[in-house]
Amino acid sequence: MADQYGFWRLLAEGLRGHTGWKPAWRDPEPKAEYDVIIIGGGGHGLATAYYLAKNHGITNVAVLEKGYLGGGNVGRNTTIVRSNYLHTGNVLFYEKSLQLWEGLSNDLGYNVMFSPRSIINVFHSDSARDADTRRGNQMILHGADAVLLDREGIRREAPLVDVDNPRFPVYGGLKQTRAGSARHDAVAWGFARGADRRGVDLIQNCEVTGIDVRNGQVVGVQTNRGPIRAKKVGMAVAGNTSRVGKLAGLRLPIESHVLQAFVSEGLKPMLHNVITFGAGHFYISQSDKGGLVFGASLDGYNSYAQRGNLPRVEHVMEAAVSFVPAVSKVRMLRSWGGVMDMSPDGSPIIDKTPIEGLYLNAGWCYGGFKATPGSGWCFSHLIANDSPTHHIEQMRLDRFETGYVIDELGAGAQHNLH
Amino acid sequence: MLIPCPHCGLRPSEEFVPKGLAEAPRPALGGRAKPDGPAWQNYLHLRDNVADHNHEYFHHALGCRSWIVVHRHTLTHEVTGATMAADFWKADKPATTGTQDAKSPAAETAEDGQ
């Protein structure tokens, strides 16, 4: 266990001036051929490579990343981990993912700082209470946990919430106790290190510029560091799904949108849980460093720019102050935007494609972070065995054509409804 | 972000509701004939979703309430023009309202008023 970041290693390194640390992963040159290539060195790609090696014994794997590891959405999110979903197609998967989160630091030998501090979805009407009661029952039936809180429960759990707001009075909330947040970069680094130690080649600054298909079967990829052969290629490229899919001639049900997130200055502990505003789309938690981390919905227009516009900033701040008035005294530190791969029904796609040997992991909308371990677990199984686990049976690519959509919001299955 | 509404001239983006990419025309309903599944799939769900100049539906909800197609760049957010949605798929569609060239009279009025 010499290269674990455990107590004895820390103590030993402390005594010799921290001179013995080595890079956490290798920087290999790409080989001419691999059994499996994963395009995208973000959370999902790295998790997929890790579980391919750990669960399925497939270690001749390359993860190709055009930038640096974990430089995309896994480093640009609000780090919320939960499984409070209504539909079977979602809750089965996210509950599997949450269970993996609970053991992740031990499994990786790397502290991902998963903090099950609970999430509370606050509601503001009788009908919203009915809907959340139904969702809570669904969650319990699928093995997740849920507690219905009344107004006094919200006052007790999150005293800074404006419970008596005259416009949006709080009626209560649906609480998932096992939900929480995690350290986003550590998740990427932990999976990267775990995959590397099992023999996976993590190749950075390697952009895929073409996908070679012969007779309907993938045979390899073209990159800026030369061609690499592989009979199985998995795509986990989030916001760039359409662009990479096009390299294989696919036209996919994805639109790319910008989602902004915000962090305030560091504060003393003021918010214990993750809480969400039911009268607008807004969620807020407090990081371990003390900053309030929050966000809301998409800007609404298509974008690859990784930055948003000011009208949405204003909207988010209005929601923040309506929900937690104390936020009006807080100074904002920074905001940023990430590119979301939006699917028509707001639920993800983990499936084979019409091209033999090409696998798709996409459509994470704004919920990809919590899915990271589950996505890697299920996607690696799909790639290794050519069949889905029961968690992802409904996350099909063709579901928009067949009508078997996973319409979590009940809003319909068209772009721009989520 | 300012959007050159063909009817109202340059207006702030807050007045508009974006409604997705205009990449394929809406298929004809076809009366009693069996719907053209692939055409509807193409229209409703599938997208090229380019990181480049694109065409996107916007509704001028807090203005003239016209449906328009805005020409934007998805990497820079630069708006280069707009067309009435009703005209967008016509073969002989009128010239687009631009921000740099060929400004509509309405766009100039809006700018003069600032």
Side-chain angles (χ1 to χ4, degrees):
Chain A
M1 302 296 271
D3 54 350
Q4 298 277 9
Y5 300 132
F7 172 77
W8 295 113
R9 180 74 199 278
L10 264 176
L11 183 69
E13 288 297 334
L15 292 174
R16 56 179 157 163
H18 294 285
T19 51
W21 297 113
K22 298 217 166 49
W25 48 82
R26 297 165 293 129
D27 185 20
E29 283 297 313
K31 290 192 277 189
E33 179 161 7
Y34 289 94
D35 292 342
V36 178
I37 286 175
I38 306 294
I39 307 174
H44 290 217
L46 294 166
T48 304
Y50 174 77
Y51 288 119
L52 270 174
K54 179 171 184 256
N55 293 356
H56 306 287
I58 302 174
T59 56
N60 188 21
V61 177
V63 177
L64 308 182
E65 166 56 47
K66 74 172 175 178
Y68 59 93
L69 296 182
N73 289 348
V74 73
R76 308 174 75 81
N77 58 77
T78 48
T79 75
I80 299 168
V81 175
R82 58 187 176 86
S83 67
N84 52 357
Y85 282 81
L86 173 68
H87 286 287
T88 304
N90 276 329
V91 69
L92 273 180
F93 169 80
Y94 286 108
E95 177 56 23
K96 170 68 186 169
S97 194
L98 181 56
Q99 288 170 13
L100 290 170
W101 276 106
E102 288 171 333
L104 196 59
S105 291
N106 275 336
D107 186 32
L108 295 173
Y110 199 100
N111 188 1
V112 299
M113 296 169 74
F114 175 57
S115 160
R117 59 185 65 181
S118 84
I119 186 168
I120 301 173
N121 298 142
V122 173
F123 47 75
H124 308 259
S125 68
D126 286 328
S127 57
R129 174 166 46 213
D130 291 348
D132 272 347
T133 307
R134 179 182 172 222
R135 184 149 60 103
N137 286 334
Q138 270 286 91
M139 289 161 61
I140 292 167
L141 284 171
H142 286 88
D145 64 305
V147 183
L148 199 68
L149 299 177
D150 60 6
R151 183 179 306 197
E152 293 314 308
I154 300 295
R155 237 190 270 279
R156 190 176 63 242
E157 291 263 357
L160 291 178
V161 169
D162 187 10
V163 172
D164 302 312
N165 184 310
R167 180 70 180 85
F168 304 114
V170 169
Y171 278 44
L174 183 69
K175 178 182 179 187
Q176 185 179 24
T177 310
R178 290 158 58 239
S181 70
R183 170 90 177 95
H184 49 5
D185 291 327
V187 178
W189 297 335
F191 275 122
R193 181 170 161 277
D196 178 83
R197 292 178 66 205
R198 283 173 169 77
V200 173
D201 281 0
L202 308 176
I203 302 165
Q204 305 180 64
N205 298 313
C206 183
E207 180 172 1
V208 171
T209 54
I211 296 176
D212 299 331
V213 179
R214 200 170 300 148
N215 300 327
Q217 156 79 43
V218 163
V219 292
V221 298
Q222 300 291 324
T223 77
N224 60 353
R225 295 171 68 171
I228 307 174
R229 293 192 304 278
K231 291 204 169 52
K232 292 188 172 188
V233 175
M235 290 167 50
V237 293
N240 284 309
T241 296
S242 300
R243 301 168 77 186
V244 178
K246 200 177 175 203
L247 298 176
L250 295 176
R251 191 167 136 91
L252 296 168
I254 299 289
E255 286 194 9
S256 294
H257 284 257
V258 59
L259 178 69
Q260 300 193 61
F262 307 84
V263 171
S264 78
E265 59 185 329
L267 301 161
K268 288 187 177 178
M270 60 181 277
L271 273 179
H272 176 64
N273 327 77
V274 180
I275 49 175
T276 73
F277 188 31
H281 188 178
F282 175 79
Y283 37 90
I284 185 167
S285 63
Q286 189 168 20
S287 79
D288 291 337
K289 284 192 286 188
L292 299 177
V293 184
F294 56 93
S297 41
L298 304 171
D299 273 38
Y301 45 82
N302 286 66
S303 175
Y304 281 94
Q306 291 195 321
R307 62 184 162 76
N309 264 313
L310 289 173
R312 178 57 59 184
V313 177
E314 186 176 15
H315 174 88
V316 175
M317 299 308 158
E318 285 169 359
V321 175
S322 307
F323 187 38
V324 185
V327 173
S328 65
K329 305 290 182 193
V330 176
R331 281 167 297 202
M332 288 303 118
L333 197 62
R334 61 180 187 271
S335 70
W336 65 93
V339 185
M340 307 294 118
D341 38 333
M342 301 300 297
S343 67
D345 62 358
S347 297
I349 299 160
I350 305 181
D351 201 359
K352 296 189 255 189
T353 68
I355 296 166
E356 195 68 32
L358 184 65
Y359 304 86
L360 179 66
N361 174 323
W364 292 101
C365 301
Y366 23 70
F369 179 72
K370 68 177 108 51
T372 305
S375 165
W377 181 281
C378 297
F379 196 38
S380 66
H381 185 279
L382 178 71
I383 292 172
N385 301 311
D386 263 324
S387 68
T389 67
H390 72 282
H391 314 99
I392 55 167
E393 272 172 352
Q394 294 188 27
M395 294 185 175
R396 296 177 59 107
L397 174 59
D398 66 358
R399 67 177 186 264
F400 310 105
E401 201 162 7
T402 59
Y404 292 102
V405 294
I406 314 172
D407 186 8
E408 186 69 25
L409 292 178
Q414 285 179 47
H415 291 291
N416 272 79
L417 295 175
H418 299 277
Chain B
M1 195 160 78
L2 296 172
I3 291 173
C5 174
H7 187 265
C8 310
L10 269 188
R11 305 297 302 168
S13 64
E14 300 97 295
E15 293 183 2
F16 298 81
V17 179
K19 280 293 177 187
L21 292 167
E23 291 191 356
R26 185 187 164 97
L29 287 172
R32 286 163 183 273
K34 191 170 178 292
D36 183 355
W40 281 100
Q41 162 81 346
N42 199 40
Y43 165 71
L44 285 171
H45 304 130
L46 300 185
R47 299 288 183 260
D48 287 335
N49 189 29
V50 294
D52 201 340
H53 290 283
N54 76 349
H55 302 296
E56 205 174 347
Y57 288 113
F58 277 72
H59 183 221
H60 197 179
L62 301 179
C64 62
R65 305 183 69 185
S66 295
W67 281 92
I68 63 174
V69 173
V70 175
H71 313 280
R72 280 173 58 252
H73 199 293
T74 51
L75 280 170
T76 63
H77 294 168
E78 182 195 12
V79 180
T80 50
T83 317
M84 296 299 272
D87 298 330
F88 183 71
W89 298 106
K90 289 180 185 165
D92 56 340
K93 60 185 170 194
T96 58
T97 320
T99 46
Q100 270 114 49
D101 48 85
K103 276 179 189 151
S104 72
E108 280 163 18
T109 314
E111 280 188 325
D112 292 342
Q114 285 173 355

